[in-house]
Amino acid sequence: MADSRHSLLQQFAASDWSGFLKGVEKEGLRVDANGFIAQTPHPEALGSALTHGRITTDYSEALLELITPVFNSTGAMLESLRDTHRYVQQNLGDEVFWAASMPCEIDGDQSIPIAEYGRSNVGQLKHVYRQGLAVRYGRVMQSIAGAHYNLSLPDSFWQKWQEVTGNSDSLQDFKSDQYFWLIRNFRRRSWLLMLLFGASPALDSSFVANMKHDLSRFDDRTWHGQYATSLRMGDLGYHNNAQASLNICFNELATYTRTLDRAIHTNWPAYEAIGTQRDGEFIQINTSVLQIENEYYSAVRPKRTTERGEKPIQALDARGVEYIEVRCLDLDPFSPVGVNQAQVDFLDLFLLDCLLTDSPRIGDEECERLDDNYKDVVAS
């Protein structure tokens, strides 16, 4: 089957479709002149974090996120990111844009300010969601930064691909099925991305202050995993026990949205004990395993642009998968903007091969083995 899919691709030339569509979301901390996480509000010169199309914040007021538009060339995408990056740095005053995924010096949860988005209903909801992340997992975990790579293939590709594969489903259903075909193989192979691009084997000692860990001392300010590739994606990073119990199914769109929706509507005893309010203020949206879909930490996500008032699950169910978001990339500390062209070109070919290679459904036993493979590469 894999050989046949590769041979099918050869039946139409690259000129029959306009290439990959791509964009990137790059996070990074603002850091003061002493190398400490910035305590200042989002700079006015960078616009409103709630409404700006290219510059916003993630969890923390200090955690910037730069977003490119969609491009059909890697060069244009990276040039856009460089332009935004340059503008941001020019307007940070004495602060700098931290280059690494693991944070600069911090001093526990209280040193990490939660992002503010104004008094509108949407802005308040975004803030309460982040308050929920704080009470559930602590703020320290939310100070980590990474790059998210978004990729899709144009309808000109999908229409021809559907024709040569002899599929008779609607184009929407065909695209969703094929994107999940790609995702299943991504899950089988994502360990390779961590081996090649993992770039967070060490961290500042302040990150693990009063925390149990098995890292080794590198110097008086630094701990490291001797064979680690990405501490960001390991147990010290985006990881928690409640989500480990979710068993989100990536085999097809229907099972993915159903299991994700179940997590949003399933109470978790520890979160029930916290409650939704404290001193008359909301501290989390609800007491479910997930407050919203975006709380689920995964190396890859199927995505669909939402309409006003629409939830991500609703958008996926209504209109199918639009693009793939690769979420496991550490910032490249040797690149001025955190990602580089060779890396993006590799990702394009990697994801295309995930689509072209045979991709059977993933059973429980294989799922557990894939998770173990990933953890082994990340940590050892």
Side-chain angles (χ1 to χ4, degrees):
M1 182 60 180
D3 289 342
S4 64
R5 286 176 73 90
H6 279 88
S7 64
L8 287 173
L9 183 65
Q10 296 173 4
Q11 292 183 28
F12 59 100
S15 59
D16 289 332
W17 55 289
S18 54
F20 302 105
L21 302 175
K22 60 189 71 178
V24 68
E25 303 159 18
K26 187 262 183 177
E27 302 162 345
L29 283 172
R30 289 187 292 113
V31 177
D32 69 20
N34 296 315
F36 193 80
I37 184 172
Q39 301 297 296
T40 52
H42 188 67
E44 288 188 9
L46 303 186
S48 167
L50 180 64
T51 59
H52 199 292
R54 298 198 185 188
I55 306 171
T56 184
T57 54
D58 198 310
Y59 170 82
S60 173
E61 189 78 350
L63 186 57
L64 290 171
E65 182 175 10
L66 311 188
I67 305 166
T68 72
V70 178
F71 292 96
N72 60 10
S73 83
T74 300
M77 182 192 75
L78 291 178
E79 184 59 30
S80 172
L81 182 60
R82 280 192 290 270
D83 288 344
T84 306
H85 212 282
R86 189 178 299 116
Y87 178 82
V88 167
Q89 188 60 70
Q90 289 170 347
N91 287 278
L92 289 186
D94 292 335
E95 297 174 352
V96 296
F97 208 0
W98 191 247
S101 280
M102 300 309 287
C104 57
E105 185 182 0
I106 59 176
D107 186 16
D109 278 0
Q110 296 309 308
S111 68
I112 302 167
I114 299 176
E116 299 283 354
Y117 298 96
R119 302 305 299 176
S120 69
N121 289 338
V122 173
Q124 286 293 290
L125 183 65
K126 288 173 73 71
H127 181 72
V128 172
Y129 165 61
R130 286 158 175 76
Q131 290 277 16
L133 297 178
V135 298
R136 291 172 176 221
Y137 318 121
R139 299 187 191 185
V140 169
M141 186 176 80
Q142 312 300 328
S143 64
I144 299 170
H148 299 167
Y149 181 59
N150 301 316
L151 180 134
S152 66
L153 293 155
D155 280 351
S156 56
F157 169 87
W158 291 120
Q159 289 162 353
K160 186 68 175 179
W161 187 237
Q162 185 174 25
E163 177 185 332
V164 299
T165 56
N167 181 276
S168 59
D169 294 339
S170 68
L171 183 61
Q172 174 181 310
D173 289 344
F174 177 72
K175 287 166 60 177
S176 293
D177 177 74
Q178 294 297 292
Y179 276 125
F180 271 89
W181 181 295
L182 183 160
I183 287 172
R184 292 194 298 271
N185 274 337
F186 180 95
R187 296 200 63 230
R188 292 182 171 100
R189 303 172 176 185
S190 57
W191 63 266
L192 178 60
L193 298 182
M194 306 319 299
L195 184 66
L196 295 176
F197 303 124
S200 56
L203 46 75
D204 189 273
S205 59
S206 62
F207 186 87
V208 290
N210 304 313
M211 186 186 302
K212 291 183 178 179
H213 61 82
D214 57 2
L215 302 177
S216 301
R217 176 72 74 175
F218 183 78
D219 59 30
D220 60 347
R221 290 289 307 276
T222 309
W223 292 90
H224 73 117
Q226 186 174 1
Y227 302 106
T229 59
S230 177
L231 297 178
R232 166 180 169 265
M233 296 303 294
D235 288 347
L236 291 173
Y238 293 124
H239 173 83
N240 65 84
N241 292 330
Q243 292 197 18
S245 68
L246 286 179
N247 296 320
I248 300 298
C249 180
F250 284 88
N251 277 327
E252 59 186 33
L253 178 59
T255 58
Y256 175 78
T257 57
R258 184 171 64 249
T259 52
L260 198 54
D261 184 67
R262 183 177 63 206
I264 297 171
H265 293 93
T266 300
N267 282 333
W268 188 254
Y271 304 155
E272 286 186 279
I274 294 170
T276 57
Q277 295 187 53
R278 183 180 297 160
D279 300 326
E281 299 287 336
F282 279 95
I283 57 172
Q284 58 179 337
I285 295 174
N286 55 46
T287 59
S288 298
V289 178
L290 301 178
Q291 298 174 92
I292 59 176
E293 295 93 329
N294 287 347
E295 187 174 341
Y296 177 54
Y297 302 122
S298 60
V300 63
R301 282 182 187 166
K303 298 295 288 283
R304 160 63 64 175
T305 304
T306 58
E307 297 177 352
R308 186 177 179 85
E310 188 178 42
K311 296 179 179 179
I313 287 177
Q314 295 171 330
L316 283 169
D317 281 336
R319 298 184 301 283
V321 182
E322 181 182 9
Y323 63 96
I324 297 300
E325 180 185 37
V326 177
R327 299 171 49 81
C328 58
L329 299 176
D330 288 342
L331 299 182
D332 177 358
F334 302 106
S335 166
V337 295
V339 292
N340 64 75
Q341 177 146 355
Q343 180 183 37
V344 174
D345 289 344
F346 180 90
L347 283 168
D348 288 346
L349 295 177
F350 177 86
L351 293 170
L352 182 61
D353 194 63
C354 285
L355 174 67
L356 297 178
T357 304
D358 195 19
S359 184
R361 297 292 195 268
I362 297 174
D364 292 343
E365 183 179 347
E366 184 183 11
C367 185
E368 184 174 344
R369 185 170 68 252
L370 296 178
D371 289 342
D372 288 342
N373 290 344
Y374 189 84
K375 292 175 183 177
D376 285 345
V377 174
V378 163
S380 59

